[in-house]
Amino acid sequence: MPLHRRRLWERGFNQAGLLGRELAKQGYGTLCVDALVRNRPTPSLGGLGRKARARVLQGAIGIRNARRSRVEGRDVLLVDDVLTSGATSRACVKVLKRAGATRVTIACFARVLDEALPHSAASSGGTKRNARDLSVPGAT
């Protein structure tokens, strides 16, 4: 999961990158933490409906051209530390598929349940869905 460079600088680390490193050590593929890039900072998506989240993320995530060959024709494991609405994961899957990934699987280490979201978020665009609803047309 790509962080904008400002957020990475503030935190000093990328949680998803650290989790991905551990998965690679366990034999779950080759690590490539910089295939995706967050082109611009995005605000918190909390309280936004599905369409508003998609608008905020539109064009915010892209593929790093120098890493495109690491994605083309390959199965990709996208690591997300915390999956809330799935909007960022959905945007990443879309970019990876457009870059030629054969299949994208999301490894999520924590899931925010709809019951934990403020009432306005759950009722403003349908955050109530299961993992199958994160699919992107053309993704498997």
Side-chain angles (χ1 to χ4, degrees):
M1 203 54 65
L3 289 178
H4 186 264
R5 64 182 177 268
R6 187 179 316 145
R7 175 85 39 96
L8 181 59
W9 183 81
E10 288 169 356
R11 281 191 191 157
F13 61 93
N14 179 339
Q15 305 90 296
L18 295 173
L19 291 166
R21 180 175 292 130
E22 293 305 313
L23 287 171
K25 284 181 187 177
Q26 298 294 318
Y28 290 98
T30 304
L31 182 65
C32 185
V33 296
D34 62 348
L36 293 174
V37 61
R38 194 172 289 249
N39 299 314
R40 66 177 194 285
T42 53
S44 171
L45 303 178
L48 299 178
R50 185 175 184 162
K51 289 180 182 178
R53 287 181 168 113
R55 268 193 309 276
V56 167
L57 288 165
Q58 190 170 16
I61 297 173
I63 190 82
R64 189 177 306 276
N65 284 329
R67 298 290 186 252
R68 187 177 293 273
S69 64
R70 305 267 317 257
V71 171
E72 286 177 317
R74 300 182 81 172
D75 291 348
V76 174
L77 181 64
L78 177 66
V79 178
D80 192 356
D81 57 337
V82 180
L83 186 112
T84 306
S85 70
T88 306
S89 292
R90 203 174 2 268
C92 289
V93 169
K94 190 174 183 179
V95 168
L96 289 165
K97 292 297 286 184
R98 283 186 181 159
T102 304
R103 184 170 78 177
V104 179
T105 302
I106 301 168
C108 155
F109 286 82
R111 174 72 167 106
V112 176
L113 300 175
D114 292 333
E115 295 81 27
L117 297 173
H119 179 67
S120 62
S123 63
S124 65
T127 58
K128 193 171 190 175
R129 55 187 161 270
N130 61 40
R132 298 245 181 248
D133 294 332
L134 295 177
S135 64
V136 172
T140 58

